Amino acid sequence: MKKKTFVVILLLFTIFMNSSMLIVSIITLREQISAERETVLAEHYVISSGLIGDMQAVQNRGGDVRESMEKLMRTYARYSQSRDNGFAVSCDGEWIWYSGVEAPKEDPGGLGEQTDQSERMVFMRREPAWQLCVYGRFPAPYQEYGLWYCAGLADTMEAWRGMKNMLFTVSMAVTMLLALFLVKFLDILFRPLREISVASRVIAEGDYHTRLQVRGKDEIAVMAEHFNRMAEQVEAQIKLLQETADKKQQFIDNFAHELRTPLAAIYGYAEYLQKAPASEEERFECTRFILSECKRLQNMAYQLLDLAALREMETEVCPVEELFRQICRIMQVKAEQCGITLSGDCHGEQAIGNMELLITLLNNLVDNALKASPAGSAVKLCAAEKDGQLILEVADQGIGMTKEQIAHVKEAFYRVDKSRSRAAGGTGLGLSICERIVELHRGRLEFVSKPGEGTVARVFLSGENGDRTDFR
């Protein structure tokens, strides 16, 4: 691009400069020739007037004008030799006297036909040299005579050639100076583009931290700002893709790890039943354990299917009172078995969402709270509105979590207490499903917890106002 711009600009400037010099030289030549023409016409007039006076004097003395022409023209011949000019006199269509070694090549008869007594013909010729010629007929009674006069233009043409060569020399010098200036100017002008090219190559090679230096407020600076913004977006997207890939890899690793334990147990007990002699009671215990692990695998498969199936939903107005009532009814038996008090408190709020998915969401949150809580404690559901948002809370008095555990708790197959979760039959997918349900509702799920002080799970949704209701 830089080379093309340099060649095009230099070519256009060279054409413009040389054309300008050529026009100036042509105008100058025309002005010089015009000045020479006026001079030649004036000299022709002076010589013609003097010659007519001499011809009248000869005629008054009774002499023959035609025979006396050579004598009359001696003075003018000396003038012509000193100035490198030429003279010729015609009479009745032929040259009767001429200076130099030969007569003019022009036909005096033809010249006489093209002019009258009041006009003179001016023309240029190149052979034998550049000359400006004037021919004019004499007035009556000498109308059969005519004077041809030519002035040499050698000096004028030589001066013009010198001026022309000087102009084109100046043009070449200016062009060379422009070329040097243009190289430096284009180097400065294309420097930001080179920086962008280098930065683009570096980014393409994987270094997404590269940024351009923004100078000034012109179009190049705006382009640099847009490039930096694009680089930031690319870096953010690459980082997001890397995090997503890491999460997927972590999901696969955790999934493989989760499958390994029950499959190893199933394989071990099945191999024991096949190879070792066992009593009926031992066979019953082995098959019971195999069925238990198979059920855990089945639950994991169903939850994975649920997680994959959560793509879209139909929304409706969901009364929080009815939502809490169903959760308490579903989870009450398990809460009693764990020796935990389960209660709900709401103000008649209403959520905008899918009732079935919200029940699944709260079921998982309450189930996790029951698993983490000791006997004799309480799990409470609360609802409140703040700044146009509906906040659903599930609070327990369980073991709590550290900040690091909170950061990973929503990841698939992650367990705060792995032994407790497996003993309780958990798969580690419940909170991943909860997170997906909240995303479908365009909400937010967060946890507030400290070790030994319990956990509060908060769900932020859009909601509507209502009357307070307290139930158990």
Side-chain angles (χ1 to χ4, degrees), residues 319-321 323-324 343-351 362 380-386 389-394 459 464 468-469 471:
V320 177
E321 177 184 351
L323 182 62
F324 281 4
S343 63
D345 179 29
C346 72
H347 301 260
E349 293 87 355
Q350 292 181 324
L362 293 179
K380 187 174 182 179
L381 288 82
C382 298
E385 284 202 10
K386 183 179 180 181
Q389 279 189 315
L390 175 64
I391 305 175
L392 304 179
E393 290 188 356
V394 177
V459 179
E464 297 180 358
R468 179 183 181 87
T469 304
F471 56 88

Side-chain angles (χ1 to χ4, degrees), residues 39-175:
T39 301
V40 170
L41 285 173
E43 291 178 348
H44 182 274
Y45 177 77
V46 171
I47 296 171
S48 298
S49 300
L51 184 57
I52 291 173
D54 294 339
M55 292 170 65
Q56 288 177 345
V58 170
Q59 190 175 14
N60 290 337
R61 291 194 300 267
D64 189 341
V65 174
R66 182 166 183 169
E67 292 179 358
S68 304
M69 187 59 64
E70 181 175 355
K71 182 180 179 180
L72 296 175
M73 293 298 296
R74 286 177 184 173
T75 303
Y76 304 111
R78 287 195 298 270
Y79 177 79
S80 68
Q81 290 175 358
S82 65
R83 297 195 58 186
D84 194 23
N85 295 345
F87 295 93
V89 179
S90 66
C91 181
D92 295 331
E94 63 177 347
W95 301 110
I96 60 174
W97 182 89
Y98 50 86
S99 63
V101 296
E102 60 181 5
K105 297 180 180 180
E106 290 80 8
D107 180 17
L111 295 175
E113 292 177 358
Q114 298 179 33
T115 59
D116 55 27
Q117 295 180 2
S118 62
E119 294 182 353
R120 289 176 293 179
M121 178 183 294
V122 182
F123 58 93
M124 289 182 63
R125 65 177 184 174
R126 298 184 58 179
E127 297 296 338
W130 282 101
Q131 292 177 323
L132 188 61
C133 303
V134 182
Y135 178 80
R137 292 170 60 188
F138 293 165
Y142 306 106
Q143 63 272 13
E144 68 272 14
Y145 289 92
L147 176 64
W148 181 86
Y149 173 65
C150 70
L153 295 176
D155 294 340
T156 302
M157 297 302 294
E158 187 65 26
W160 176 77
R161 290 191 187 96
M163 184 199 69
K164 182 185 68 173
N165 293 336
M166 181 189 68
L167 289 176
F168 279 101
T169 301
V170 171
S171 174
M172 291 299 296
V174 172
T175 302

